[in-house]
Amino acid sequence: MNNIQTKLEEIYGKGTVVFNETTLQLEPGITNIFDSSRDPAVLSELWVKWRDATGKKMANLYTEWVELQNTGALEHGFENLGEAWRQKEFFDTPELVEIVEGLWQEIKPLYVQLHSYVRRKLKNYYAQHHPNYDFPNDGSIPAHLLGNMWAQEWDNIFDIVQPYPEVKEPEFDKKMVEKGYNVGNMFRIAEEFYTSIGLYKMVPDFWKRSMLVRPKEKDREVQCHASAYDFYNNDTFRIKMCTEVKMTYFQTIHHEMGHIEYFMAYRDQPAVYRSGANGGFHEAIGDTIALSVRTRKHLQTLGLLEENSVSDEDKMKSDINYLMRQALLKLAFLPFGYLVDKWRWRVFSGEVTPDKYNEEWWKMRLEYQGVTSPIPRTNTDFDPGAKFHVAANSQYIVYFTSFILQFQFYEAMCNASGHQGPLYTCDFYRSKEAGLKLLNMLKLGGSKHWKEALQQMTGKTKMDTEPFKKYFQPLLDFLKKENKGEVGWAKANINWKQETKK
Ligand code: X8Z
Ligand code: ZN
């Protein structure tokens, strides 16, 4: 089992693509082109080659791995591996499958509105700039045109879908370079936010031994997917990531540092309780902080945004632009965040058999995300394996729940800080009250059931989409007006070619 696991991770970690006679790694090479190119041919080429270099090589290994892992799960009294996984990340929550389905049903109407708006804007853009490109007419969006290798976050196509282009929005990546941001001070600035609300400084070991950029040595291969490590003593916590001077990495820094803050807060708990209240809590901490950092108010504090006085009308337009950018990050993610593990749960339970792995994957990509592949896929491909967490056998439902929970945490901290006004304008920088609210919850670690930890912080015992919906309400009103009911992709089919497995 460990052999297979190592091989899967190795295939992913060593995955490269030859493009224009240059060999590219995922970060930064492929990602940089994928983030910014608008050429459907280029994007399709990279999209396909990345899947050939990774997932396609994993198909048989994955089948064997599932069998072995399932055997282990059965031996330990679980129904299948999915049940074991859920128990690990969401201790004592047998109703998790129903909970996440319920949350998704509440979010879906919002997602459908965003999807249709984005689709229309993309279609117009490509009709204008690439008239020979055949944009599908069935309501789906081609997965390679969303500015992300997995179509999971869409913020890179903000310029195409910006609701009010006449109100100029800053280009943060350029601004960061102009203002002298570098990897070192990006981490220091993030740390300063945490300490400003009364949370911990990073430990000396962190600064000494974390890997914050891709090492230059030619002989050293590293897995660049960002992660944070707890060494389970009291003074060793590290981050590993290949940072670049860009807004998206600045947000990832806050995400990873959130894990470290949690590690530090529960370090005095007995070993069994040194964990998040549930896996979703762990993923949500840094993102909650990043919601505050990303407000226009805070970006002004950081010198990344000019403070100019604008008319009320422009302010309204700018707010909608802002919420769109946030929706491309948060709302766009949710169906992907759900389907990765929903697919794996169905695989682990035997409902989806190996000959149908990829076909079912694409049915779910279409059903939940409304996206289709740039070229027909077959069952000799294994596209789930082109995603880090599938290759690394790391759970994904934690992100889906995190993206709901972080808005609950954010609202609770905003209330504690005395924030007035729309939720999306709340910056709790320097609010010790907000920090204390968070810290008291973090310190519990896994010593209390997550429902109790959630109640302590938010007054609610349930994961709740209300704060998420409240945050995005003005955007939703805008989208509904623009879409005029023309939403959905009911007519679409997956882009599929029947091929038998050798
Ligand atoms: O994997 C991550 C973090 C590390 S725990 C960077 N995330 C998911 C992903 O990149 O797919 C954060 C959001 C979703
Ligand atoms: Zn994380």
Side-chain angles (χ1 to χ4, degrees):
M1 203 180 67
N2 281 332
N3 252 336
I4 298 179
Q5 174 126 5
T6 310
K7 278 187 199 148
L8 290 170
E9 284 184 58
E10 190 178 323
I11 293 170
Y12 191 93
K14 289 192 174 165
T16 56
V17 154
V18 180
F19 178 74
N20 278 347
E21 290 162 45
T22 334
T23 303
L24 300 174
Q25 291 164 313
L26 183 63
E27 285 181 69
I30 301 173
T31 307
N32 279 347
I33 304 178
F34 224 90
D35 288 359
S36 56
S37 172
R38 304 288 186 235
D39 182 337
V42 167
L43 292 166
S44 174
E45 181 180 342
L46 286 173
W47 191 98
V48 173
K49 283 184 171 171
W50 175 248
R51 281 157 180 79
D52 285 346
T54 54
K56 204 177 177 100
K57 298 185 177 158
M58 296 175 194
N60 293 334
L61 284 169
Y62 197 77
T63 306
E64 202 182 335
W65 181 88
V66 169
E67 270 171 34
L68 290 168
Q69 285 273 342
N70 256 336
T71 311
L74 287 173
E75 277 173 4
H76 286 83
F78 295 103
E79 214 171 275
N80 58 52
L81 182 59
E83 198 198 34
W85 273 22
R86 293 190 293 272
Q87 170 75 350
K88 180 168 177 279
E89 293 288 351
F90 290 81
F91 186 74
D92 206 5
T93 313
E95 74 281 28
L96 185 74
V97 175
E98 290 80 36
I99 292 179
V100 290
E101 174 62 24
L103 294 170
W104 168 242
Q105 289 305 332
E106 287 172 33
I107 293 295
K108 199 170 155 186
L110 282 72
Y111 177 74
V112 168
Q113 295 291 341
L114 177 69
H115 176 283
S116 296
Y117 183 82
V118 166
R119 181 178 175 281
R120 200 166 53 248
K121 291 273 173 172
L122 274 177
K123 196 165 156 59
N124 291 343
Y125 177 89
Y126 279 97
Q128 212 179 350
H129 298 269
H130 295 272
N132 294 329
Y133 175 70
D134 208 3
F135 199 101
N137 276 319
D138 57 8
S140 72
I141 305 179
H144 61 308
L145 304 183
L146 287 158
N148 179 280
M149 182 55 90
W150 309 273
Q152 66 179 67
E153 283 138 357
W154 306 347
D155 48 315
N156 285 317
I157 57 155
F158 175 72
D159 58 318
I160 299 180
V161 303
Q162 186 174 338
Y164 295 105
E166 68 272 27
V167 179
K168 287 268 165 297
E169 296 298 332
E171 293 178 57
F172 292 111
D173 295 351
K174 274 197 200 141
K175 199 88 198 169
M176 287 176 78
V177 176
E178 266 169 47
K179 290 277 169 183
Y181 277 69
N182 57 48
V183 172
N185 61 28
M186 282 159 76
F187 276 84
R188 289 289 177 186
I189 292 168
E191 180 189 42
E192 199 274 328
F193 190 101
Y194 281 99
T195 55
S196 89
I197 59 170
L199 269 72
Y200 307 101
K201 270 174 119 67
M202 298 293 110
V203 293
D205 173 84
F206 174 91
W207 295 111
K208 206 162 152 219
R209 299 220 181 263
S210 286
M211 188 198 95
L212 305 182
V213 290
R214 183 189 273 282
K216 287 217 170 53
E217 303 97 285
K218 280 263 179 305
D219 59 349
R220 197 166 145 215
E221 305 250 17
V222 298
Q223 164 50 260
C224 271
H225 193 92
S227 46
Y229 297 86
D230 185 354
F231 286 71
Y232 290 91
N233 58 18
N234 283 354
D235 56 11
T236 315
F237 310 98
R238 298 177 198 160
I239 284 176
K240 168 192 73 70
M241 61 184 276
C242 301
T243 318
E244 307 255 304
V245 182
K246 290 191 160 164
M247 188 48 110
T248 150
Y249 283 97
F250 193 45
Q251 284 177 257
T252 306
I253 290 172
H254 289 84
H255 175 97
E256 299 304 332
M257 232 176 233
H259 288 305
I260 305 274
E261 293 287 342
Y262 215 166
F263 299 154
M264 291 200 271
Y266 58 55
R267 68 187 137 182
D268 296 325
Q269 291 281 354
V272 281
Y273 296 145
R274 290 179 73 165
S275 70
N278 68 39
F281 277 55
H282 230 304
E283 295 308 330
I285 307 311
D287 283 14
T288 305
I289 303 299
L291 284 174
S292 178
V293 171
R294 196 60 189 67
T295 55
R296 280 181 304 184
K297 178 159 176 241
H298 196 73
L299 292 175
Q300 285 170 4
T301 312
L302 292 176
L304 292 173
L305 199 62
E306 254 65 57
E307 282 177 64
N308 37 19
S309 48
V310 288
S311 65
D312 280 354
E313 194 193 332
D314 276 3
K315 200 178 156 310
M316 182 282 287
K317 290 180 176 173
S318 190
D319 278 7
I320 296 296
N321 281 346
Y322 173 79
L323 284 175
M324 173 59 84
R325 209 196 285 255
Q326 290 294 82
L328 296 173
L329 268 179
K330 303 293 178 183
L331 179 53
F333 176 80
L334 282 163
F336 184 76
Y338 182 32
L339 79 84
V340 174
D341 274 0
K342 182 143 196 213
W343 176 83
R344 283 192 288 195
W345 294 340
R346 295 177 65 211
V347 164
F348 298 158
S349 75
E351 186 191 334
V352 172
T353 48
D355 55 317
K356 292 271 158 60
Y357 278 173
N358 210 39
E359 194 173 344
E360 285 300 320
W361 171 259
W362 279 104
K363 282 186 185 162
M364 294 179 78
R365 291 268 272 170
L366 180 61
E367 179 185 347
Y368 291 96
Q369 287 186 282
V371 300
T372 42
S373 55
I375 63 161
R377 307 308 283 161
T378 75
N379 270 321
T380 58
D381 301 307
F382 181 62
D383 295 322
K387 176 69 196 163
F388 170 77
H389 300 73
V390 176
N393 293 308
S394 153
Q395 296 207 40
Y396 214 73
I397 199 66
V398 293
Y399 302 109
F400 175 80
T401 50
S402 153
F403 276 51
I404 303 293
L405 280 166
Q406 60 191 251
F407 286 87
Q408 290 180 261
F409 296 162
Y410 180 61
E411 186 185 45
M413 291 173 75
C414 291
N415 288 343
S417 75
H419 172 75
Q420 304 278 325
L423 185 54
Y424 61 85
T425 62
C426 158
D427 174 22
F428 47 63
Y429 183 52
R430 292 189 173 149
S431 164
K432 298 280 189 281
E433 294 79 9
L436 193 65
K437 187 120 216 152
L438 181 62
L439 187 60
N440 284 336
M441 190 276 283
L442 297 182
K443 281 183 173 168
L444 297 174
S447 69
K448 293 266 189 304
H449 195 279
W450 64 264
K451 291 178 186 171
E452 226 177 296
L454 188 58
Q455 185 168 35
Q456 178 187 308
M457 185 157 176
T458 68
K460 293 238 162 83
T461 55
K462 288 196 164 101
M463 291 190 263
D464 179 11
T465 58
E466 278 315 312
F468 188 101
K469 290 197 265 190
K470 182 163 148 195
Y471 183 99
F472 285 112
Q473 191 59 51
L475 179 70
L476 188 67
D477 295 340
F478 167 84
L479 292 174
K480 278 187 177 160
K481 217 165 72 218
E482 292 283 315
N483 288 334
K484 303 186 193 84
E486 284 168 36
V487 295
W489 53 92
K491 285 185 293 180
N493 279 313
I494 62 170
N495 196 357
W496 191 254
K497 202 166 95 200
Q498 209 57 45
E499 227 174 67
T500 36
K501 240 180 167 177
K502 285 187 260 321

